[in-house]
PDB file of all heavy atoms in Angstrom:
ATOM      1  N   VAL M 130     -20.105 -10.335 -54.426  1.00 98.00           N
ATOM      2  CA  VAL M 130     -21.094 -11.314 -53.979  1.00 98.00           C
ATOM      3  C   VAL M 130     -21.913 -10.723 -52.826  1.00 98.00           C
ATOM      4  O   VAL M 130     -23.135 -10.867 -52.768  1.00 98.00           O
ATOM      5  CB  VAL M 130     -20.398 -12.627 -53.556  1.00 98.00           C
ATOM      6  CG1 VAL M 130     -21.397 -13.588 -52.921  1.00 98.00           C
ATOM      7  CG2 VAL M 130     -19.712 -13.283 -54.744  1.00 98.00           C
ATOM      8  N   ALA M 131     -21.238 -10.029 -51.919  1.00 98.00           N
ATOM      9  CA  ALA M 131     -21.950  -9.400 -50.795  1.00 98.00           C
ATOM     10  C   ALA M 131     -22.950  -8.373 -51.307  1.00 98.00           C
ATOM     11  O   ALA M 131     -24.076  -8.276 -50.812  1.00 98.00           O
ATOM     12  CB  ALA M 131     -20.950  -8.748 -49.843  1.00 98.00           C
ATOM     13  N   THR M 132     -22.550  -7.628 -52.318  1.00 98.00           N
ATOM     14  CA  THR M 132     -23.459  -6.674 -52.952  1.00 98.00           C
ATOM     15  C   THR M 132     -24.701  -7.408 -53.472  1.00 98.00           C
ATOM     16  O   THR M 132     -25.831  -6.957 -53.272  1.00 98.00           O
ATOM     17  CB  THR M 132     -22.748  -5.970 -54.131  1.00 98.00           C
ATOM     18  OG1 THR M 132     -21.726  -5.140 -53.592  1.00 98.00           O
ATOM     19  CG2 THR M 132     -23.707  -5.130 -54.938  1.00 98.00           C
ATOM     20  N   GLY M 133     -24.459  -8.562 -54.096  1.00 98.00           N
ATOM     21  CA  GLY M 133     -25.573  -9.337 -54.647  1.00 98.00           C
ATOM     22  C   GLY M 133     -26.504  -9.837 -53.551  1.00 98.00           C
ATOM     23  O   GLY M 133     -27.730  -9.785 -53.687  1.00 98.00           O
ATOM     24  N   VAL M 134     -25.931 -10.305 -52.450  1.00 98.00           N
ATOM     25  CA  VAL M 134     -26.755 -10.786 -51.342  1.00 98.00           C
ATOM     26  C   VAL M 134     -27.596  -9.634 -50.787  1.00 98.00           C
ATOM     27  O   VAL M 134     -28.799  -9.781 -50.525  1.00 98.00           O
ATOM     28  CB  VAL M 134     -25.880 -11.408 -50.238  1.00 98.00           C
ATOM     29  CG1 VAL M 134     -26.726 -11.757 -49.015  1.00 98.00           C
ATOM     30  CG2 VAL M 134     -25.161 -12.654 -50.751  1.00 98.00           C
ATOM     31  N   ALA M 135     -26.952  -8.473 -50.662  1.00 98.00           N
ATOM     32  CA  ALA M 135     -27.688  -7.303 -50.151  1.00 98.00           C
ATOM     33  C   ALA M 135     -28.825  -6.934 -51.095  1.00 98.00           C
ATOM     34  O   ALA M 135     -29.934  -6.599 -50.655  1.00 98.00           O
ATOM     35  CB  ALA M 135     -26.724  -6.127 -49.956  1.00 98.00           C
ATOM     36  N   ALA M 136     -28.573  -7.030 -52.399  1.00 98.00           N
ATOM     37  CA  ALA M 136     -29.608  -6.695 -53.384  1.00 98.00           C
ATOM     38  C   ALA M 136     -30.760  -7.689 -53.286  1.00 98.00           C
ATOM     39  O   ALA M 136     -31.940  -7.316 -53.349  1.00 98.00           O
ATOM     40  CB  ALA M 136     -28.998  -6.699 -54.788  1.00 98.00           C
ATOM     41  N   ALA M 137     -30.419  -8.979 -53.115  1.00 98.00           N
ATOM     42  CA  ALA M 137     -31.454 -10.003 -53.011  1.00 98.00           C
ATOM     43  C   ALA M 137     -32.320  -9.763 -51.783  1.00 98.00           C
ATOM     44  O   ALA M 137     -33.549  -9.876 -51.841  1.00 98.00           O
ATOM     45  CB  ALA M 137     -30.796 -11.382 -52.936  1.00 98.00           C
ATOM     46  N   LEU M 138     -31.684  -9.416 -50.656  1.00 98.00           N
ATOM     47  CA  LEU M 138     -32.447  -9.168 -49.429  1.00 98.00           C
ATOM     48  C   LEU M 138     -33.349  -7.953 -49.592  1.00 98.00           C
ATOM     49  O   LEU M 138     -34.475  -7.925 -49.093  1.00 98.00           O
ATOM     50  CB  LEU M 138     -31.480  -8.968 -48.246  1.00 98.00           C
ATOM     51  CG  LEU M 138     -30.737 -10.230 -47.806  1.00 98.00           C
ATOM     52  CD1 LEU M 138     -29.629  -9.893 -46.826  1.00 98.00           C
ATOM     53  CD2 LEU M 138     -31.707 -11.246 -47.189  1.00 98.00           C
ATOM     54  N   ARG M 139     -32.832  -6.966 -50.322  1.00 97.00           N
ATOM     55  CA  ARG M 139     -33.648  -5.767 -50.555  1.00 97.00           C
ATOM     56  C   ARG M 139     -34.872  -6.147 -51.376  1.00 97.00           C
ATOM     57  O   ARG M 139     -35.994  -5.744 -51.081  1.00 97.00           O
ATOM     58  CB  ARG M 139     -32.810  -4.688 -51.247  1.00 97.00           C
ATOM     59  CG  ARG M 139     -33.492  -3.329 -51.263  1.00 97.00           C
ATOM     60  CD  ARG M 139     -32.560  -2.230 -51.753  1.00 97.00           C
ATOM     61  NE  ARG M 139     -32.163  -2.422 -53.140  1.00 97.00           N
ATOM     62  CZ  ARG M 139     -30.920  -2.638 -53.549  1.00 97.00           C
ATOM     63  NH1 ARG M 139     -29.919  -2.675 -52.670  1.00 97.00           N
ATOM     64  NH2 ARG M 139     -30.653  -2.818 -54.828  1.00 97.00           N
ATOM     65  N   ALA M 140     -34.619  -7.000 -52.395  1.00 98.00           N
ATOM     66  CA  ALA M 140     -35.718  -7.426 -53.253  1.00 98.00           C
ATOM     67  C   ALA M 140     -36.754  -8.207 -52.449  1.00 98.00           C
ATOM     68  O   ALA M 140     -37.957  -8.135 -52.723  1.00 98.00           O
ATOM     69  CB  ALA M 140     -35.174  -8.296 -54.389  1.00 98.00           C
ATOM     70  N   LYS M 141     -36.284  -8.938 -51.446  1.00 97.00           N
ATOM     71  CA  LYS M 141     -37.215  -9.715 -50.635  1.00 97.00           C
ATOM     72  C   LYS M 141     -37.787  -8.910 -49.474  1.00 97.00           C
ATOM     73  O   LYS M 141     -38.569  -9.429 -48.675  1.00 97.00           O
ATOM     74  CB  LYS M 141     -36.505 -10.967 -50.078  1.00 97.00           C
ATOM     75  CG  LYS M 141     -36.074 -11.911 -51.185  1.00 97.00           C
ATOM     76  CD  LYS M 141     -35.516 -13.209 -50.632  1.00 97.00           C
ATOM     77  CE  LYS M 141     -36.645 -14.071 -50.087  1.00 97.00           C
ATOM     78  NZ  LYS M 141     -36.306 -15.488 -49.970  1.00 97.00           N
ATOM     79  N   GLY M 142     -37.362  -7.675 -49.368  1.00 97.00           N
ATOM     80  CA  GLY M 142     -37.876  -6.833 -48.282  1.00 97.00           C
ATOM     81  C   GLY M 142     -37.360  -7.228 -46.920  1.00 97.00           C
ATOM     82  O   GLY M 142     -38.000  -6.975 -45.906  1.00 97.00           O
ATOM     83  N   ARG M 143     -36.213  -7.892 -46.878  1.00 97.00           N
ATOM     84  CA  ARG M 143     -35.668  -8.342 -45.594  1.00 97.00           C
ATOM     85  C   ARG M 143     -34.575  -7.380 -45.112  1.00 97.00           C
ATOM     86  O   ARG M 143     -33.382  -7.707 -45.062  1.00 97.00           O
ATOM     87  CB  ARG M 143     -35.112  -9.765 -45.723  1.00 97.00           C
ATOM     88  CG  ARG M 143     -36.166 -10.818 -45.981  1.00 97.00           C
ATOM     89  CD  ARG M 143     -37.190 -10.909 -44.854  1.00 97.00           C
ATOM     90  NE  ARG M 143     -36.604 -11.230 -43.561  1.00 97.00           N
ATOM     91  CZ  ARG M 143     -36.464 -12.469 -43.099  1.00 97.00           C
ATOM     92  NH1 ARG M 143     -36.889 -13.498 -43.801  1.00 97.00           N
ATOM     93  NH2 ARG M 143     -35.928 -12.680 -41.928  1.00 97.00           N
ATOM     94  N   SER M 144     -34.966  -6.201 -44.720  1.00 95.00           N
ATOM     95  CA  SER M 144     -33.980  -5.239 -44.249  1.00 95.00           C
ATOM     96  C   SER M 144     -33.447  -5.620 -42.873  1.00 95.00           C
ATOM     97  O   SER M 144     -32.484  -5.046 -42.378  1.00 95.00           O
ATOM     98  CB  SER M 144     -34.603  -3.839 -44.187  1.00 95.00           C
ATOM     99  OG  SER M 144     -35.692  -3.850 -43.291  1.00 95.00           O
ATOM    100  N   ASP M 145     -34.094  -6.628 -42.212  1.00 97.00           N
ATOM    101  CA  ASP M 145     -33.625  -7.040 -40.883  1.00 97.00           C
ATOM    102  C   ASP M 145     -32.356  -7.882 -40.963  1.00 97.00           C
ATOM    103  O   ASP M 145     -31.629  -7.997 -39.984  1.00 97.00           O
ATOM    104  CB  ASP M 145     -34.716  -7.835 -40.157  1.00 97.00           C
ATOM    105  CG  ASP M 145     -35.231  -9.018 -40.970  1.00 97.00           C
ATOM    106  OD1 ASP M 145     -35.287  -8.895 -42.215  1.00 97.00           O
ATOM    107  OD2 ASP M 145     -35.563 -10.053 -40.368  1.00 97.00           O
ATOM    108  N   ILE M 146     -32.112  -8.476 -42.129  1.00 98.00           N
ATOM    109  CA  ILE M 146     -30.927  -9.329 -42.253  1.00 98.00           C
ATOM    110  C   ILE M 146     -29.761  -8.492 -42.770  1.00 98.00           C
ATOM    111  O   ILE M 146     -29.885  -7.786 -43.773  1.00 98.00           O
ATOM    112  CB  ILE M 146     -31.204 -10.516 -43.199  1.00 98.00           C
ATOM    113  CG1 ILE M 146     -32.374 -11.347 -42.658  1.00 98.00           C
ATOM    114  CG2 ILE M 146     -29.952 -11.376 -43.346  1.00 98.00           C
ATOM    115  CD1 ILE M 146     -32.800 -12.474 -43.557  1.00 98.00           C
ATOM    116  N   ARG M 147     -28.643  -8.571 -42.073  1.00 98.00           N
ATOM    117  CA  ARG M 147     -27.493  -7.738 -42.424  1.00 98.00           C
ATOM    118  C   ARG M 147     -26.433  -8.576 -43.129  1.00 98.00           C
ATOM    119  O   ARG M 147     -26.253  -9.753 -42.842  1.00 98.00           O
ATOM    120  CB  ARG M 147     -26.881  -7.109 -41.163  1.00 98.00           C
ATOM    121  CG  ARG M 147     -27.869  -6.384 -40.271  1.00 98.00           C
ATOM    122  CD  ARG M 147     -28.634  -5.270 -40.962  1.00 98.00           C
ATOM    123  NE  ARG M 147     -27.800  -4.211 -41.492  1.00 98.00           N
ATOM    124  CZ  ARG M 147     -27.433  -3.114 -40.820  1.00 98.00           C
ATOM    125  NH1 ARG M 147     -27.819  -2.962 -39.572  1.00 98.00           N
ATOM    126  NH2 ARG M 147     -26.686  -2.194 -41.394  1.00 98.00           N
ATOM    127  N   VAL M 148     -25.702  -7.918 -44.031  1.00 98.00           N
ATOM    128  CA  VAL M 148     -24.707  -8.611 -44.843  1.00 98.00           C
ATOM    129  C   VAL M 148     -23.303  -8.147 -44.463  1.00 98.00           C
ATOM    130  O   VAL M 148     -23.052  -6.951 -44.315  1.00 98.00           O
ATOM    131  CB  VAL M 148     -24.948  -8.346 -46.340  1.00 98.00           C
ATOM    132  CG1 VAL M 148     -23.944  -9.133 -47.184  1.00 98.00           C
ATOM    133  CG2 VAL M 148     -26.364  -8.710 -46.726  1.00 98.00           C
ATOM    134  N   ILE M 149     -22.429  -9.125 -44.300  1.00 98.00           N
ATOM    135  CA  ILE M 149     -21.036  -8.814 -44.007  1.00 98.00           C
ATOM    136  C   ILE M 149     -20.150  -9.509 -45.027  1.00 98.00           C
ATOM    137  O   ILE M 149     -20.307 -10.715 -45.274  1.00 98.00           O
ATOM    138  CB  ILE M 149     -20.660  -9.258 -42.578  1.00 98.00           C
ATOM    139  CG1 ILE M 149     -21.424  -8.411 -41.562  1.00 98.00           C
ATOM    140  CG2 ILE M 149     -19.156  -9.136 -42.346  1.00 98.00           C
ATOM    141  CD1 ILE M 149     -21.181  -8.771 -40.128  1.00 98.00           C
ATOM    142  N   GLY M 150     -19.252  -8.754 -45.639  1.00 98.00           N
ATOM    143  CA  GLY M 150     -18.227  -9.349 -46.492  1.00 98.00           C
ATOM    144  C   GLY M 150     -16.942  -9.396 -45.699  1.00 98.00           C
ATOM    145  O   GLY M 150     -16.674  -8.492 -44.902  1.00 98.00           O
ATOM    146  N   GLN M 151     -16.166 -10.442 -45.865  1.00 98.00           N
ATOM    147  CA  GLN M 151     -14.915 -10.481 -45.111  1.00 98.00           C
ATOM    148  C   GLN M 151     -13.828 -11.207 -45.890  1.00 98.00           C
ATOM    149  O   GLN M 151     -14.093 -12.092 -46.698  1.00 98.00           O
ATOM    150  CB  GLN M 151     -15.113 -11.120 -43.734  1.00 98.00           C
ATOM    151  CG  GLN M 151     -15.666 -12.529 -43.764  1.00 98.00           C
ATOM    152  CD  GLN M 151     -15.825 -13.115 -42.363  1.00 98.00           C
ATOM    153  OE1 GLN M 151     -15.465 -12.498 -41.373  1.00 98.00           O
ATOM    154  NE2 GLN M 151     -16.356 -14.332 -42.277  1.00 98.00           N
ATOM    155  N   GLY M 152     -12.598 -10.787 -45.640  1.00 97.00           N
ATOM    156  CA  GLY M 152     -11.473 -11.421 -46.302  1.00 97.00           C
ATOM    157  C   GLY M 152     -10.178 -10.938 -45.699  1.00 97.00           C
ATOM    158  O   GLY M 152     -10.163 -10.054 -44.832  1.00 97.00           O
ATOM    159  N   GLY M 153      -9.100 -11.519 -46.170  1.00 97.00           N
ATOM    160  CA  GLY M 153      -7.789 -11.098 -45.705  1.00 97.00           C
ATOM    161  C   GLY M 153      -7.301  -9.895 -46.491  1.00 97.00           C
ATOM    162  O   GLY M 153      -8.001  -9.350 -47.345  1.00 97.00           O
ATOM    163  N   ASP M 154      -6.078  -9.477 -46.233  1.00 97.00           N
ATOM    164  CA  ASP M 154      -5.569  -8.291 -46.913  1.00 97.00           C
ATOM    165  C   ASP M 154      -5.318  -8.574 -48.397  1.00 97.00           C
ATOM    166  O   ASP M 154      -5.489  -7.684 -49.236  1.00 97.00           O
ATOM    167  CB  ASP M 154      -4.318  -7.745 -46.243  1.00 97.00           C
ATOM    168  CG  ASP M 154      -3.229  -8.787 -46.055  1.00 97.00           C
ATOM    169  OD1 ASP M 154      -3.454  -9.719 -45.276  1.00 97.00           O
ATOM    170  OD2 ASP M 154      -2.166  -8.672 -46.698  1.00 97.00           O
ATOM    171  N   GLY M 155      -4.950  -9.815 -48.754  1.00 97.00           N
ATOM    172  CA  GLY M 155      -4.746 -10.118 -50.164  1.00 97.00           C
ATOM    173  C   GLY M 155      -6.019  -9.913 -50.953  1.00 97.00           C
ATOM    174  O   GLY M 155      -6.040  -9.207 -51.965  1.00 97.00           O
ATOM    175  N   ALA M 156      -7.106 -10.499 -50.459  1.00 97.00           N
ATOM    176  CA  ALA M 156      -8.394 -10.381 -51.145  1.00 97.00           C
ATOM    177  C   ALA M 156      -8.891  -8.946 -51.151  1.00 97.00           C
ATOM    178  O   ALA M 156      -9.558  -8.506 -52.083  1.00 97.00           O
ATOM    179  CB  ALA M 156      -9.419 -11.288 -50.472  1.00 97.00           C
ATOM    180  N   THR M 157      -8.573  -8.195 -50.128  1.00 98.00           N
ATOM    181  CA  THR M 157      -9.141  -6.862 -49.962  1.00 98.00           C
ATOM    182  C   THR M 157      -8.296  -5.796 -50.656  1.00 98.00           C
ATOM    183  O   THR M 157      -8.795  -5.002 -51.462  1.00 98.00           O
ATOM    184  CB  THR M 157      -9.234  -6.520 -48.455  1.00 98.00           C
ATOM    185  OG1 THR M 157      -9.936  -7.556 -47.784  1.00 98.00           O
ATOM    186  CG2 THR M 157      -9.922  -5.192 -48.249  1.00 98.00           C
ATOM    187  N   VAL M 158      -7.017  -5.808 -50.362  1.00 97.00           N
ATOM    188  CA  VAL M 158      -6.144  -4.720 -50.808  1.00 97.00           C
ATOM    189  C   VAL M 158      -5.746  -4.909 -52.274  1.00 97.00           C
ATOM    190  O   VAL M 158      -5.610  -3.937 -53.022  1.00 97.00           O
ATOM    191  CB  VAL M 158      -4.893  -4.658 -49.900  1.00 97.00           C
ATOM    192  CG1 VAL M 158      -3.903  -3.615 -50.381  1.00 97.00           C
ATOM    193  CG2 VAL M 158      -5.307  -4.376 -48.467  1.00 97.00           C
ATOM    194  N   ASP M 159      -5.564  -6.197 -52.661  1.00 97.00           N
ATOM    195  CA  ASP M 159      -5.089  -6.455 -54.020  1.00 97.00           C
ATOM    196  C   ASP M 159      -6.195  -7.023 -54.917  1.00 97.00           C
ATOM    197  O   ASP M 159      -6.785  -6.331 -55.713  1.00 97.00           O
ATOM    198  CB  ASP M 159      -3.923  -7.454 -54.003  1.00 97.00           C
ATOM    199  CG  ASP M 159      -2.720  -6.956 -53.211  1.00 97.00           C
ATOM    200  OD1 ASP M 159      -2.634  -5.734 -52.993  1.00 97.00           O
ATOM    201  OD2 ASP M 159      -1.888  -7.781 -52.812  1.00 97.00           O
ATOM    202  N   ILE M 160      -6.466  -8.319 -54.714  1.00 97.00           N
ATOM    203  CA  ILE M 160      -7.234  -9.058 -55.716  1.00 97.00           C
ATOM    204  C   ILE M 160      -8.681  -8.605 -55.815  1.00 97.00           C
ATOM    205  O   ILE M 160      -9.250  -8.495 -56.885  1.00 97.00           O
ATOM    206  CB  ILE M 160      -7.113 -10.577 -55.442  1.00 97.00           C
ATOM    207  CG1 ILE M 160      -5.632 -10.983 -55.518  1.00 97.00           C
ATOM    208  CG2 ILE M 160      -7.926 -11.372 -56.442  1.00 97.00           C
ATOM    209  CD1 ILE M 160      -5.368 -12.418 -55.163  1.00 97.00           C
ATOM    210  N   GLY M 161      -9.307  -8.310 -54.652  1.00 96.00           N
ATOM    211  CA  GLY M 161     -10.713  -7.922 -54.692  1.00 96.00           C
ATOM    212  C   GLY M 161     -10.915  -6.423 -54.615  1.00 96.00           C
ATOM    213  O   GLY M 161     -12.017  -5.944 -54.334  1.00 96.00           O
TER     214      GLY M 161
END
Side-chain angles (χ1 to χ4, degrees):
Chain M
V130 173
T132 292
V134 173
L138 290 169
R139 192 171 64 243
K141 296 186 74 160
R143 293 299 301 269
S144 61
D145 54 326
I146 301 176
R147 308 303 300 270
V148 183
I149 293 178
Q151 58 179 357
D154 53 294
T157 307
V158 176
D159 299 341
I160 300 175

